[in-house]
Amino acid sequence: MRLGPIRLDSLLRQASGENEAAAREKEIEIRLVPSRSVVTSDAFLLGAILRNLISNAVKYTAPGGRILLGCRHSRCSVRVDVIDTGIGMSQEQMSRIFNAFTRLDSTHADGLGLGLFIVRRATSILGHRIDVSSAPSRGTRFSILVRRV
């Protein structure tokens, strides 16, 4: 792990670009709000976290939906948001999503159910925090809180 200054705009653009083809296939709009934020993190791990969250947003958002990527600033940190108009989750489901081998809806996803487990571990290793808010049929917001430079 190499902690250092990371420009969020370029990391978000790269993670968004890697999911662009899948989003276009489903006619999902990914909108990136430009950011000048610089945070302390590891580019590889934070990039992997963002790619996973955007990939999940694409998987769980119906054709014609939207995904918004953006940052909110506080005095000491930046909140990096991945917000979708997807299927959402109940409170009970949200309590389990970071467990290994958890797949809430097998009709929308392939894989082993390790993606969010890895996201949680990577955020912990980096000293970041992850928050989630969601409502069934209304979408989900994943937020990574990262220390500002």
Side-chain angles (χ1 to χ4, degrees):
M1 181 170 69
R2 290 189 184 152
L3 293 178
I6 306 294
R7 293 190 174 282
L8 285 175
D9 195 62
S10 60
L11 206 58
L12 283 165
R13 285 185 193 287
Q14 182 180 8
S16 173
E18 291 181 23
N19 286 282
E20 192 174 315
R24 191 174 27 243
E25 209 172 281
K26 288 181 72 176
E27 298 178 356
I28 294 171
E29 174 191 4
I30 298 179
R31 181 171 166 242
L32 172 61
V33 177
S35 174
R36 293 184 181 156
S37 300
V38 179
V39 297
T40 301
S41 191
D42 176 89
F44 178 78
L45 282 178
L46 185 55
I49 291 166
L50 293 171
R51 283 189 301 278
N52 185 289
L53 293 178
I54 297 167
S55 173
N56 277 355
V58 171
K59 283 180 193 175
Y60 293 105
T61 298
R66 294 179 313 279
I67 298 169
L68 176 65
L69 311 174
C71 301
R72 297 221 182 244
H73 302 262
S74 69
R75 205 171 64 204
C76 300
S77 64
V78 176
R79 188 181 85 196
V80 184
D81 289 329
V82 177
I83 304 168
D84 66 56
T85 60
I87 63 172
M89 296 174 274
S90 68
Q91 284 293 107
E92 190 273 327
Q93 289 173 312
M94 282 193 299
S95 69
R96 299 187 342 242
I97 60 171
F98 294 109
N99 296 339
F101 305 108
T102 298
R103 292 176 55 201
L104 299 180
D105 184 352
S106 60
T107 62
H108 283 88
D110 51 359
L112 298 173
L114 290 173
L116 290 177
F117 172 76
I118 293 168
V119 163
R120 166 76 85 184
R121 297 292 289 218
T123 55
S124 177
I125 288 167
L126 291 168
H128 303 335
R129 193 176 93 209
I130 186 164
D131 291 328
V132 61
S133 62
S134 188
S137 303
R138 298 193 67 199
T140 302
R141 178 186 56 137
F142 281 93
S143 301
I144 307 294
L145 282 85
V146 187
R147 195 174 36 243
R148 289 177 78 166
V149 169

